[in-house]
Amino acid sequence: MESKVVWKEGMSFDVHLDGHVFTIDADEAVGGKNQGPKPKGLTLSSLAGCTGMDVISILTKMRIPVQTLEVTARAELTEEHPKRFKKIITRYEVTGPDDISVERIQRAVVLSEERYCGVSATLKPSVEMLSEIVVNGVQVEA
Amino acid sequence: MESKVVWKEGMSFDVHLDGHVFTIDADEAVGGKNQGPKPKGLTLSSLAGCTGMDVISILTKMRIPVQTLEVTARAELTEEHPKRFKKIITRYEVTGPDDISVERIQRAVVLSEERYCGVSATLKPSVEMLSEIVVNGVQVEA
């Protein structure tokens, strides 16, 4: 598995990954032009996307009628440089019919975090990882 | 710092990061449509982009006349599930005039990896991290 970044100009780079290309950039404050997201947060996108795909895949297999799913990964960084990820809270927000199984959703999240998601498993030894689950607007135990 | 992924359909999600949006997806083999990169490799994009921006920023400040810069992060995963990142080799390929300072390029890479890049610092405790530097097509000590 690999990803390549190719410098364009200023602080912007083309990111090559899995045959797709997109642009990353820095803020104007540090010489960029904000033509794309900044690279650091892509670690959070990677985590949220990885576990999000696991969860939708598991729930689909369980025939759970998910209407919407959003996964947000929110990080606290260390104060000292280099500013590492210190703590990441992954919040799963699911909507579906009133009788959607909260238990199955909780199970899908646990399966992803403990068995399937390689990004989560890579970060765990060095980052405090917490989860939140919200079903139809109500926070439940994660 | 945060990133949100919003499920679209099948295995595709919109990734929201720093006010920008792009699509991730899975391969057709696992129910996706390959409409965007897969999430796991975004960790490598994050690392390559983070250190690539550091290096170009440092070299620009040093007035080193870089013509091209490519950074490739290549990973080996564990055999067992969840398939974590086990080893990542970051390869810096720089071109410039014949007399470009190899020493300054090596220095910029060390500064990024040890002092600036928070993604590298986050991965270090759990992943074996190696570097390669190639200047004008010739591999030099990293």
Side-chain angles (χ1 to χ4, degrees), chain B residues 4-98:
Chain B
K4 181 163 77 169
V5 301
V6 180
W7 180 47
K8 298 206 299 184
E9 47 94 30
M11 295 288 276
S12 78
F13 286 74
D14 273 338
V15 176
H16 297 254
L17 178 60
D18 300 325
H20 300 272
V21 182
F22 62 96
T23 297
I24 54 172
D25 201 352
D27 281 336
E28 285 163 23
V30 294
K33 289 180 178 165
N34 187 30
Q35 291 175 331
K38 290 173 277 182
K40 198 165 186 175
L42 287 175
T43 296
L44 300 175
S45 310
S46 183
L47 173 64
C50 172
T51 188
M53 280 194 196
D54 286 345
V55 166
I56 201 66
S57 165
I58 295 165
L59 292 177
T60 302
K61 275 175 199 148
M62 288 176 174
R63 299 177 182 276
I64 303 297
V66 173
Q67 282 160 2
T68 67
L69 168 65
E70 296 187 3
V71 183
T72 308
R74 197 167 75 247
E76 284 173 27
L77 306 177
T78 57
E79 289 295 323
E80 73 276 13
H81 287 272
K83 289 184 183 267
R84 290 184 299 102
F85 291 103
K86 187 170 136 193
K87 180 177 174 176
I88 300 177
I89 301 169
T90 307
R91 183 180 178 90
Y92 301 83
E93 294 179 79
V94 183
T95 67
D98 287 348

Side-chain angles (χ1 to χ4, degrees), chain A residues 2-90:
Chain A
E2 71 169 54
S3 178
K4 180 163 77 171
V5 301
V6 179
W7 180 47
K8 298 207 298 186
E9 47 96 30
M11 295 289 276
S12 79
F13 286 73
D14 273 339
V15 175
H16 297 255
L17 178 61
D18 299 326
H20 299 273
V21 182
F22 62 96
T23 297
I24 54 172
D25 201 353
D27 280 337
E28 286 163 24
V30 293
K33 289 179 179 167
N34 188 29
Q35 292 175 332
K38 289 174 277 183
K40 199 165 186 175
L42 288 174
T43 295
L44 300 175
S45 310
S46 184
L47 173 65
C50 173
T51 188
M53 280 195 196
D54 286 345
V55 166
I56 201 66
S57 166
I58 294 165
L59 293 176
T60 302
K61 275 174 199 148
M62 287 175 174
R63 299 177 182 278
I64 304 296
V66 174
Q67 282 159 1
T68 66
L69 168 65
E70 295 187 2
V71 183
T72 308
R74 197 167 76 246
E76 284 174 25
L77 306 176
T78 56
E79 290 294 324
E80 74 278 11
H81 288 272
K83 289 184 184 268
R84 290 184 298 101
F85 291 104
K86 187 169 137 192
K87 181 178 175 177
I88 300 177
I89 301 170
T90 307

